[in-house]
Amino acid sequence: MSTQNKDTRPEKVTTQTVVDMKRSGEKISMLTAYDYTMAGIVDAAGVDVILVGDSASNVMAGFDTTVPMTLDHMIYHTSCVVRGVERALVIADLPFMSYQVTTKEALISAGRMMKEAGAHAVKLEGGESITSTIKRIVDAGIPVMGHLGLTPQSIYKFGTYKVRAKDEAEANQLLKDAKKLEEAGVFSIVLEKIPTSLAKQVTESVSVPTIGIGAGSYCDGQVLVIHDMLGLNKDFSPRFLRRYADWHTAMSDAVGEYIKDVKTGDFPNEDEQYN
Ligand code: KIV
């Protein structure tokens, strides 16, 4: 039994909360997390939404793309995050090929994410072509976040991580996709790496909140990968990224100090050992 008084617990963010935030004009803050400790820090700092992104493939597992991530990997990361969170809404990415083959398989994947990992919602990449799948998942009582623009699971189709929907045909399709996702019942849509003017148009034409990454300031909220915004990854510096810390240097300096202290015999000192 929890020892915490129910009245002192923070009010949980729900999918309805983020929809209401769009209506009231309050911007939505979202960050990724993949483990218990980071999730606890991010949650306690007050972020509204935590995304257990399949970017775990890049920043946790060291793959070049998100394609290798499996449903079991994502369930593991999501369950770690859920255990660290008290307030934020936790959304988990369904990984590549866990929802594209059949609607039945997609529903089973989404169900496992909710039951085994304790996610509060799932995110799927794609537009019009996956709306019947999304509708089925939503009808089963599982909230879905959409993801349009640069959808990294399709990297081998795109061939590049450059800005999407710069031409009129792709921009029109994206607008149509956003409307279709809304009709299918998503509670929110991530817009990744698209022109600001298009993100503004989408944001104004759907009633559900848009969360941008490289999609400009008109989105209803913003998301960044935690490793990128903390400056853990020195080699990744796209235009859209703002670094809020330099953890790469801080960690590397701390490890250097530790090595020096071990080599010189300075660590452990008298106070750091048992008599
Ligand atoms: O996997 C991820 O981290 C994401 C965000 C970049 C939106 O999908």
Side-chain angles (χ1 to χ4, degrees):
M1 205 177 79
S2 166
T3 53
Q4 197 171 12
N5 183 329
K6 225 176 158 196
D7 299 336
T8 64
R9 279 185 224 153
E11 196 172 321
K12 287 186 184 297
V13 179
T14 67
T15 54
Q16 189 57 50
T17 316
V18 295
V19 172
D20 290 345
M21 284 167 84
K22 172 171 182 133
R23 291 188 188 140
S24 68
E26 182 182 345
K27 295 273 188 181
I28 301 155
S29 60
M30 174 158 130
L31 280 173
T32 67
Y34 317 96
D35 68 84
Y36 170 82
T37 304
M38 281 268 206
I41 295 171
V42 168
D43 182 55
V47 82
D48 300 309
V49 184
I50 294 182
L51 172 69
V52 189
D54 59 359
S55 49
S57 185
N58 309 99
V59 298
M60 300 299 288
F63 290 116
D64 283 343
T65 72
T66 57
V67 170
M69 217 56 182
T70 67
L71 184 60
D72 285 334
H73 290 145
M74 290 305 298
I75 286 175
Y76 169 73
H77 284 294
T78 305
S79 66
C80 297
V81 166
V82 166
R83 283 191 289 275
V85 169
E86 280 190 31
R87 174 185 172 269
L89 179 72
V90 179
I91 304 173
D93 265 339
L94 287 190
F96 184 57
M97 282 299 131
S98 70
Y99 61 93
Q100 290 93 339
V101 180
T102 64
T103 293
K104 184 177 168 186
E105 209 182 328
L107 184 56
I108 292 169
S109 300
R112 284 192 63 200
M113 193 56 89
M114 305 294 282
K115 284 174 79 87
E116 293 175 39
H120 308 148
V122 295
K123 175 163 82 59
L124 277 65
E125 295 183 4
E128 207 172 356
S129 62
I130 60 157
T131 47
S132 54
T133 297
I134 290 177
K135 195 168 177 330
R136 183 73 190 91
I137 297 173
V138 173
D139 284 349
I142 301 173
V144 174
M145 172 179 259
H147 185 153
L148 297 172
L150 177 64
T151 46
Q153 291 176 12
S154 303
I155 185 58
Y156 289 108
K157 184 170 116 189
F158 297 148
T160 159
Y161 285 105
K162 284 193 186 136
V163 177
R164 302 302 312 175
K166 282 176 99 168
D167 67 71
E168 207 181 322
E170 199 181 328
N172 286 339
Q173 181 61 49
L174 194 143
L175 262 169
K176 199 169 157 204
D177 284 340
K179 293 299 279 178
K180 292 279 178 191
L181 289 183
E182 183 184 26
E183 277 166 35
V186 299
F187 70 92
S188 176
I189 304 172
V190 164
L191 298 175
E192 181 163 352
K193 258 190 150 177
I194 61 171
T196 302
S197 55
L198 177 60
K200 180 173 188 280
Q201 242 184 308
V202 173
T203 302
E204 286 168 354
S205 64
V206 292
S207 62
V208 294
T210 57
I211 310 286
I213 174 162
S217 54
Y218 294 101
C219 294
D220 299 303
Q222 298 292 327
V223 57
L224 286 176
V225 168
I226 187 92
H227 289 60
D228 300 338
M229 63 87 77
L230 291 176
L232 274 163
N233 184 353
K234 268 172 50 151
D235 303 324
F236 186 65
S237 49
R239 176 180 172 146
F240 70 78
L241 175 62
R242 184 181 294 180
R243 286 208 180 95
Y244 288 84
D246 182 3
W247 277 28
H248 188 281
T249 305
M251 283 185 74
S252 159
D253 288 353
V255 172
E257 283 289 303
Y258 167 74
I259 295 168
K260 179 173 73 49
D261 290 351
V262 170
K263 300 275 183 197
T264 59
D266 184 67
F267 176 79
N269 65 23
E270 286 270 309
D271 296 338
E272 291 161 336
Q273 45 196 308
Y274 303 99
N275 297 315

